Amino acid sequence: MTGLTAAVAALSMAALLAGCGESGGSGDVTLKLVAADYGDSSANSSKKYWDALAEKFEDEHPGIKVDVAVYSWTDVDRKVKEMVADGEAPDLAQIGAYADYAAQDKLYSADDVLSIPTQADFLAPLAKAGVVNRVQYGMPFAASTRLLFFNEKLFKSAGVTPPESWSELQAAAKKLKARGVKIPYALPLGPEEAQAETYQWLLSGGGGYTDNVGTYDFDSKQNVATFNWLKNELVGKGLTGPTPPGKLNRAEAFAAFTRGEVGMLNGHPTLMQMAAKKHLKYGMVPMPGVNGKAQSTMGVADWMMAFKENGHRKEIRQFLDFAYSKKNVLEFSREYDLLPVTTSASQEMSDDKADAKKLGGFLEELPASQLYPVGKTSWAQVSVQIKKYIGKTVDPNGDPQATLAQLDAKAAAEENAS
């Protein structure tokens, strides 16, 4: 009996240890999911998407419930931060940034909560951007890129074709201005999203926010040359409209484009919807580079992350493998005119004639796109500094070299502090 008792005790202890860090097999487990709202009205709120997805998942996985809370982009990052601070982290959060939580060791790695096929299906540049210290914590959930939008009617009237280089862009802007176009090229370097317009131009000039080893490099030779060109050859020649770029926000530039006041500007898929509602005929081409098409464009991703606090790794893994199935990724992407984050869904969208007609240009740019350095915990504060100062580079008395050097010093300080 002694041997039997010992064996039973050993099995009981093994079962107990196996359950540590995991949810057990008795009773229902409820996963808490907080997500951002991509809709622009109650009719297409992301809450409807997530509720439908949760219902389908629960039908296929008895014993697991999914409690969904959806907040506007204005509130969602703050809401998750508050929940984590109060010791009530959700199991899953689909929001804008993950690096701070990874640095605090609050997240499961992607290896922990995704099957190998699901993780391998992520598009390479998006997966790479989710890495901190060589471990992937951020799981891309939604993506977009940028293209140069142009007003077809204004271009035809001015007798110009879509530009492929900076000199062609300047020449087109001059002809548009001569035809009385209010804003030949909209350059939104205002505080709303200056980091995006800045990054797009830095990439088109062969530079970027970091060097080849990931160190901030704002005042590189290429970056300084890019902003000298913008200051002297575009803004200085009166080709960016009456509002100083440092005071022009993206939303205002988009609205002016849909009113027919803008000849061309950088835009993402949302601008297609806005233009269509105004019955504006437009075209889209890749961003021009110094001497031809830019080598890469800016990519943007929003992130899914899995918190360790509640210990529901097994159930999180089941839900994420379900959510990242090709069918569900396509459904979300099509609903909100976003780009799929997986190779399988991206390929199917490219092969579909309707999808390709609508988003083909953006899809083509995504594989070679460059994302913000979101794996740096300093990036959030560095982005704030860009929004605050970058517009000054193109002012009449602006000094691109000095401003970019200032930003580089501030970025280095933030990086050291983090």
Side-chain angles (χ1 to χ4, degrees), residues 191 195 378-389 407:
Q195 82 282 1
S378 60
W379 170 244
Q381 287 304 313
V382 171
S383 178
V384 170
Q385 298 297 324
I386 296 169
K387 294 176 183 180
K388 184 176 181 180
Y389 292 106
L407 282 169

Side-chain angles (χ1 to χ4, degrees), residues 71 74-90 95 101 307 309:
Y71 299 93
T74 304
D75 300 320
V76 69
D77 288 290
R78 173 183 55 80
K79 184 66 177 178
V80 171
K81 185 176 182 180
E82 291 172 353
M83 293 172 72
V84 172
D86 292 341
E88 299 176 352
I95 53 178
Y101 301 120
F307 287 88
E309 185 170 307

Side-chain angles (χ1 to χ4, degrees), residues 10-93:
L11 288 170
S12 298
M13 182 58 71
L16 177 62
L17 291 174
C20 291
E22 304 281 349
S23 49
S26 60
D28 287 349
V29 168
T30 298
L31 296 177
K32 294 185 291 185
L33 166 67
V34 175
D37 195 350
Y38 290 84
D40 55 12
S41 68
S42 59
N44 70 341
S45 169
S46 296
K47 185 76 162 66
K48 291 188 174 182
Y49 171 82
W50 284 114
D51 283 346
L53 186 74
E55 184 177 352
K56 288 186 289 184
F57 173 78
E58 291 168 357
D59 287 344
E60 296 181 19
H61 299 80
I64 307 177
K65 303 294 182 184
V66 183
D67 180 21
V68 179
V70 173
Y71 299 93
S72 72
W73 274 108
T74 304
D75 300 320
V76 69
D77 288 290
R78 173 183 55 80
K79 184 66 177 178
V80 171
K81 185 176 182 180
E82 291 172 353
M83 293 172 72
V84 172
D86 292 341
E88 299 176 352
D91 296 286
L92 292 159

Side-chain angles (χ1 to χ4, degrees), residues 182-193:
K182 184 177 180 180
I183 308 173
Y185 178 85
L187 183 66
L189 296 177
E192 180 195 356
E193 204 190 31

Side-chain angles (χ1 to χ4, degrees), residues 100-406:
D100 281 349
Y101 301 120
Q104 296 167 31
D105 194 30
K106 294 184 178 296
L107 302 180
Y108 286 117
S109 71
D111 289 339
D112 289 332
V113 292
L114 293 175
S115 67
I116 292 174
T118 298
Q119 189 175 1
D121 199 23
F122 287 135
L123 290 164
L126 304 182
K128 182 180 178 182
V131 170
V132 176
N133 294 327
R134 296 181 294 279
V135 178
Q136 184 181 355
Y137 293 98
M139 295 167 278
F141 191 79
S144 69
T145 55
R146 298 293 192 269
L147 291 174
L148 184 73
F149 282 68
F150 61 93
N151 183 310
E152 289 187 347
K153 181 179 179 181
L154 295 180
F155 264 51
K156 184 177 180 179
S157 176
V160 295
T161 56
E164 296 182 358
S165 66
W166 287 4
S167 59
E168 290 181 6
L169 187 148
Q170 184 199 51
K174 287 180 176 179
K175 290 183 178 180
L176 289 165
K177 181 181 180 181
R179 296 289 297 180
V181 175
K182 184 177 180 180
I183 308 173
Y185 178 85
L187 183 66
L189 296 177
E192 180 195 356
E193 204 190 31
Q195 82 282 1
E197 184 73 11
T198 297
Y199 197 32
Q200 183 65 71
W201 275 99
L202 295 183
L203 289 172
S204 73
Y209 284 136
T210 60
D211 60 20
N212 292 333
V213 295
T215 303
Y216 285 119
D217 194 20
F218 280 85
D219 57 347
S220 69
K221 179 180 178 181
Q222 295 93 330
N223 292 348
V224 172
T226 293
F227 268 89
N228 275 326
W229 189 88
L230 285 172
K231 177 180 183 291
N232 298 321
E233 302 301 325
L234 210 59
V235 180
K237 304 236 185 266
L239 303 177
T240 55
T243 303
K247 295 182 179 180
L248 180 66
N249 283 324
R250 181 199 61 176
E252 296 162 1
F254 277 18
F257 183 75
T258 64
R259 293 194 300 267
E261 299 172 357
V262 175
M264 50 188 159
L265 79 170
N266 284 315
H268 50 66
T270 301
L271 186 53
M272 297 190 303
Q273 299 176 10
M274 297 173 63
K277 289 178 180 178
K278 296 287 188 177
H279 307 290
L280 181 81
K281 291 185 177 181
Y282 63 90
M284 300 177 294
V285 294
M287 177 66 180
V290 180
N291 297 309
K293 178 190 171 186
Q295 293 183 356
S296 61
T297 189
M298 182 186 73
V300 176
D302 299 322
W303 303 95
M304 179 72 76
M305 61 214 69
F307 287 88
K308 297 192 291 187
E309 185 170 307
N310 302 314
H312 293 153
R313 185 180 71 85
K314 176 182 175 183
E315 291 79 12
I316 290 172
R317 184 186 182 105
Q318 290 176 283
F319 180 75
L320 289 178
D321 279 345
F322 181 82
Y324 279 109
S325 69
K326 182 170 68 172
K327 176 179 180 295
N328 289 324
V329 170
L330 282 169
E331 183 178 339
F332 183 84
S333 300
R334 286 167 173 159
E335 176 67 27
Y336 299 107
D337 282 340
L338 292 164
L339 305 184
V341 297
T342 61
T343 301
S344 59
S346 185
Q347 186 60 56
E348 181 159 324
M349 187 173 274
S350 296
D351 293 340
D352 183 278
K353 290 184 179 180
D355 288 333
K357 182 178 180 181
K358 193 174 188 180
L359 293 168
F362 296 100
L363 287 166
E364 290 175 9
E365 295 294 307
L366 188 57
S369 64
Q370 299 290 320
L371 279 73
Y372 299 132
V374 291
K376 291 178 173 289
T377 56
S378 60
W379 170 244
Q381 287 304 313
V382 171
S383 178
V384 170
Q385 298 297 324
I386 296 169
K387 294 176 183 180
K388 184 176 181 180
Y389 292 106
I390 199 66
K392 297 178 181 180
T393 58
V394 296
D395 284 345
N397 297 319
D399 185 338
Q401 172 75 61
T403 302
L404 290 169
Q406 180 186 21

